[in-house]
Amino acid sequence: MTQNPKLAALAAAGVSVWLDDLSRDRLTSGNLVELVATRSVVGVTTNPTIFQKALEKGHAYDQQLAELAARGADVDAVIRTVTTDDVRNACDVLAAAWEASDGVDGRVSIEVDPRLAHDTDKTVAQAVELWKIVDRPNLFIKIPATKAGLPAISAVLAEGISVNVTLIFSVERHREVMDAYLAGLEAARTAGHDLSTIHSVASFFVSRVDTEIDARLEKIGSAEALALRGKAGLANARLAYAAYEEVFTGERFAALAADGARVQRPLWASTGVKNPDYPDTLYVTELVAAHTVNTMPEPTLDAVADHGEVTGDTITGTAAASEQVFEKLEAVGIDVTDVFIVLESEGVEKFEASWGELLEATAAQLDGAK
C-alpha cells in the first residue's frame, strides 16, 4: 500500500493528518490500519458525539455490553470501559507513528465527561483516572478551554499527563490556553517530571466560526456584510497561529525548552465544511503551516485525498490581512466577542447533549442485554 500523494504532500508541508473519528468497527476491520498506511493518518481524536454515534450504530459492541450487563455494571462504568478500550486499542495501532515521531504524533485523544466542563477539580480527577485506565504513553486527555478548564489544564500537565485542549474559538482564549500550558510545564518541572515526555495541542475550531458569523452577516444583509462571508474562520485560525509563533519564540518558553519542553501545537478542529458553497477542502488547504495538526472527519480526509491542492504554507505572513477581516466584521456590526461566547457555550452544550444521548442509548442496550 502506498500513501495518497495529496495527503503525503500535506504531511510534508508540516501538517500532521489526524482522523476525527473512532469506532470499534474501524479497529476490528483494519480500517484504521489502512488509513495509517494509505492516508498519512498519524493521530485520532474522539469526542462524546463520535462515541455516541459509534455505540448506536451496528452491533460491534453487543458482546461486550452483554458481558458488562451480566457483571452488573452501571451505565457510566459501561461507557468508561467501552470508550477506554477503543482508545487503548487505537493507541496501539498508532504506537509506531508515536515512536517514529519521538512522541509528537501517533496520538489518540479521549475527552473528560463534558458535564464537568465547569468543574476544575472533578475535571482533574477524571483526567488522571482516564490516563491510568488507558495506560498508554501516546494518549491525550481532552479538556475543554472553559474558564474552569484552564486551571485544570495546568494541573493535569503538572502531573506529567499530555493534554489536548479543546473547544477553543478565540485568539484571546488561545493565549490563555498557551499560558495554562506554560504554567503546567513549570509546575511539572518543579515536581521533577521529564518535560520532553509531556505533549499538548490546542484545538482551535474553524468551521463553526464561519457558520455563526455568516448567519449574522446574512441578517445584516448589506453588500459589505455579505462580501465577508466565509472569511472569518480562516482569518481567526491564522491569527491563532501568529499568537502561537509569538509565544513559543518568547523567553518564558525558551527557559522551559532548555529543559526539554515541547511546543503546544495548534490543531485545526471542526474542519468539515458546513456550507456547500465553499470548497470542501477549504479548512485544510488554506491552513497549511509547519508544526500544525489538522483533524478531519473522514469525508474531508477523502476530499483532500481526491482533489486537495496543497501549495505549501498558506498561513505565514497572513496576520495583517486577517486582522483586517475582523476590523471589517466589526465595522459592519458583528459583535465578535459575543460570537465567541455563544460558540463556547454551544460547544459545551452540544457535547453534553451527545453525552446524555449516549447514556440513554447505553442504558437501553444494557436493559436489552439483561
Side-chain angles (χ1 to χ4, degrees), residues 215-357:
R216 297 185 184 208
L217 290 168
E218 285 163 8
K219 265 189 183 176
I220 294 167
S222 67
E224 293 84 359
L226 296 177
L228 290 168
R229 286 178 297 182
K231 297 185 183 301
L234 292 177
N236 200 38
R238 288 165 171 171
L239 289 171
Y241 189 80
Y244 151 79
E245 289 188 301
E246 177 190 324
V247 169
F248 289 101
T249 55
E251 291 182 9
R252 187 179 179 191
F253 178 69
L256 290 161
D259 288 323
R262 316 295 189 112
V263 300
Q264 182 186 52
R265 292 188 295 167
L267 178 152
W268 312 130
S270 181
T271 57
V273 175
K274 309 291 193 294
N275 188 330
D277 294 335
Y278 301 158
D280 55 4
T281 62
L282 179 68
Y283 303 125
V284 180
T285 58
E286 295 304 313
L287 289 175
V288 176
H291 309 298
T292 59
V293 180
N294 197 306
T295 183
M296 308 176 215
E298 193 165 27
T300 303
L301 186 74
D302 289 342
V304 176
D306 180 64
H307 52 267
E309 294 298 328
V310 179
T311 57
D313 189 331
T314 50
I315 296 180
T316 303
T318 62
S322 298
E323 288 279 11
Q324 289 175 4
V325 169
F326 280 90
E327 289 169 6
K328 291 176 182 177
L329 287 167
E330 290 176 353
V332 299
I334 297 296
D335 183 344
V336 174
T337 301
D338 181 68
V339 166
F340 296 136
I341 291 170
V342 167
L343 286 172
E344 181 181 301
S345 176
E346 286 182 352
V348 173
E349 288 172 4
K350 285 176 183 176
F351 282 165
E352 284 180 343
S354 293
W355 197 260
E357 291 171 19

Side-chain angles (χ1 to χ4, degrees), residues 26 113 189 289 294 303 306:
R26 278 199 195 281
D113 184 333
R189 180 174 59 186
N294 197 306
D306 180 64

Side-chain angles (χ1 to χ4, degrees), residues 41 97 115 121 148 156 163 169 228 272 310 365:
V41 169
R115 295 172 297 179
D121 292 341
V156 172
V163 175
F169 295 98
L228 290 168
V310 179
Q365 288 175 302

Side-chain angles (χ1 to χ4, degrees), residues 117 119-121 123-124 143-158 176-177 180-181 183-184:
D119 189 317
T120 301
D121 292 341
T123 293
V124 174
I143 299 175
T146 57
K147 281 295 186 182
L150 293 171
I153 291 157
S154 297
V156 172
L157 289 161
E176 292 178 298
V177 165
Y181 175 62

Side-chain angles (χ1 to χ4, degrees), residues 189-225:
R189 180 174 59 186
T190 300
H193 291 290
D194 178 358
L195 297 190
S196 69
T197 66
I198 304 171
H199 291 252
S200 184
V201 291
S203 294
F204 202 86
F205 281 51
V206 187
S207 68
R208 292 191 196 180
V209 173
D210 273 339
T211 300
E212 178 67 23
I213 289 181
D214 283 3
R216 297 185 184 208
L217 290 168
E218 285 163 8
K219 265 189 183 176
I220 294 167
S222 67
E224 293 84 359

Side-chain angles (χ1 to χ4, degrees), residues 34-186:
E34 182 181 349
L35 292 175
V36 170
T38 65
R39 290 285 199 262
S40 295
V41 169
V42 290
V44 170
T45 49
T46 69
N47 60 44
T49 303
I50 286 169
F51 280 129
Q52 174 221 338
K53 291 177 180 176
L55 265 80
E56 288 185 340
K57 181 182 177 183
H59 302 283
Y61 298 93
D62 288 359
Q63 182 178 342
Q64 186 174 23
L65 287 171
E67 291 169 356
L68 290 167
R71 299 204 314 248
D74 63 19
V75 174
D76 285 303
V78 167
I79 291 172
R80 185 168 56 249
T81 299
V82 168
T83 57
T84 55
D85 281 359
D86 278 1
V87 167
R88 185 184 306 107
N89 290 332
C91 282
D92 290 343
V93 170
L94 288 160
W98 176 75
E99 292 173 4
S101 64
D102 190 27
V104 173
D105 283 312
R107 295 278 170 176
V108 184
S109 299
I110 188 170
E111 189 157 346
V112 295
D113 184 333
R115 295 172 297 179
L116 308 179
H118 302 295
D119 189 317
T120 301
D121 292 341
K122 288 182 180 178
T123 293
V124 174
Q126 190 175 91
V128 172
E129 179 187 31
L130 289 170
W131 181 260
K132 290 177 179 176
I133 292 171
V134 175
D135 192 27
R136 292 294 185 272
N138 52 330
L139 178 69
F140 265 145
I141 304 296
K142 284 180 85 172
I143 299 175
T146 57
K147 281 295 186 182
L150 293 171
I153 291 157
S154 297
V156 172
L157 289 161
E159 296 289 332
I161 295 171
S162 295
V163 175
N164 175 344
V165 184
T166 189
L167 288 177
I168 307 171
F169 295 98
S170 70
V171 176
E172 179 184 6
R173 184 54 56 85
H174 182 216
R175 286 186 177 277
E176 292 178 298
V177 165
M178 291 187 286
D179 183 70
Y181 175 62
L182 296 178
L185 289 182
E186 288 161 350

